[in-house]
Amino acid sequence: QNSVWGSVHEFTNTQYSIRNTVGTDTARFDTNGAGFVGKQLNVGTSSAPNTSYGLIAYANSAPIINSVPNNYASVYSRNLNSTGRVWCGESAGQAVTSEIFSNGNAKFTAVQTPNLDIVPTSSYYFRLFSGGQVNAIGFSSGNLMIGGTLDGTFATEQDPNIELKNDGTATFK
């Protein structure tokens, strides 16, 4: 047992623990490879980042085990705010380029174009933008409109070059 900077470091034959002054584990690493960190964990630094991977996660779990669905994955993320992000990706210039929200919505905004906006609503399921213009809309009904004059705000009538319908028919201009 060793006291450093107001915390207690303890190593037993099964784990290494870092505890605060009231005895609560703030970090723990077990000899079986499991680990726990009570707050934010930073991997790498912005001033000296790793040149290959920042974080690697491996798993060998199926989505259904013994006929029971599960949420096992290589990376699991949960935001306790029902509209908060479970994923946020940024470019080197700190522009948000991808977001996945806890309600299932997703946005993929390329630094270049096109941009993909996946937001399930009663009107549409996704929109594909390029240069500020809507190039495709996938509707909740299963219909898909491509090219032409498409309004992502639905304030004007849609006039696509190609329309694929959920019944298998298609219209081409």
Side-chain angles (χ1 to χ4, degrees):
Q1 196 167 358
N2 185 11
S3 180
V4 179
W5 301 309
S7 63
V8 176
H9 298 240
E10 180 178 74
F11 182 76
T12 67
N13 61 352
T14 59
Q15 70 184 19
Y16 175 77
S17 298
I18 300 171
R19 296 190 177 107
N20 61 19
T21 55
V22 294
T24 306
D25 282 356
T26 56
R28 181 181 63 248
F29 301 95
D30 298 341
T31 55
N32 67 3
F36 159 81
V37 177
K39 295 280 185 178
Q40 179 175 319
L41 174 65
N42 293 317
V43 180
T45 66
S46 60
S47 61
N50 188 321
T51 57
S52 56
Y53 302 101
L55 177 64
I56 299 173
Y58 296 102
N60 186 14
S61 59
I64 298 176
I65 298 175
N66 297 327
S67 302
V68 178
N70 64 68
N71 58 1
Y72 300 146
S74 293
V75 176
Y76 173 83
S77 178
R78 179 180 181 196
N79 189 325
L80 300 178
N81 180 311
S82 64
T83 59
R85 295 185 291 202
V86 294
W87 166 264
C88 179
E90 290 187 350
S91 69
Q94 295 183 316
V96 174
T97 57
S98 59
E99 300 171 280
I100 301 175
F101 297 87
S102 59
N103 63 6
N105 293 351
K107 284 185 166 188
F108 300 93
T109 307
V111 175
Q112 305 291 321
T113 55
N115 300 337
L116 178 60
D117 182 12
I118 302 172
V119 182
T121 69
S122 59
S123 301
Y124 67 90
Y125 195 73
F126 75 86
R127 298 176 296 181
L128 180 64
F129 294 86
S130 180
Q133 182 177 345
V134 179
N135 292 328
I137 301 175
F139 290 87
S140 304
S141 64
N143 294 351
L144 176 64
M145 293 181 176
I146 303 170
T149 305
L150 301 176
D151 179 10
T153 66
F154 302 94
T156 62
E157 188 173 333
Q158 308 295 344
D159 186 23
N161 288 340
I162 301 170
E163 184 172 9
L164 305 175
K165 296 185 179 175
N166 64 6
D167 64 3
T169 61
T171 305
F172 299 88
K173 275 191 169 179

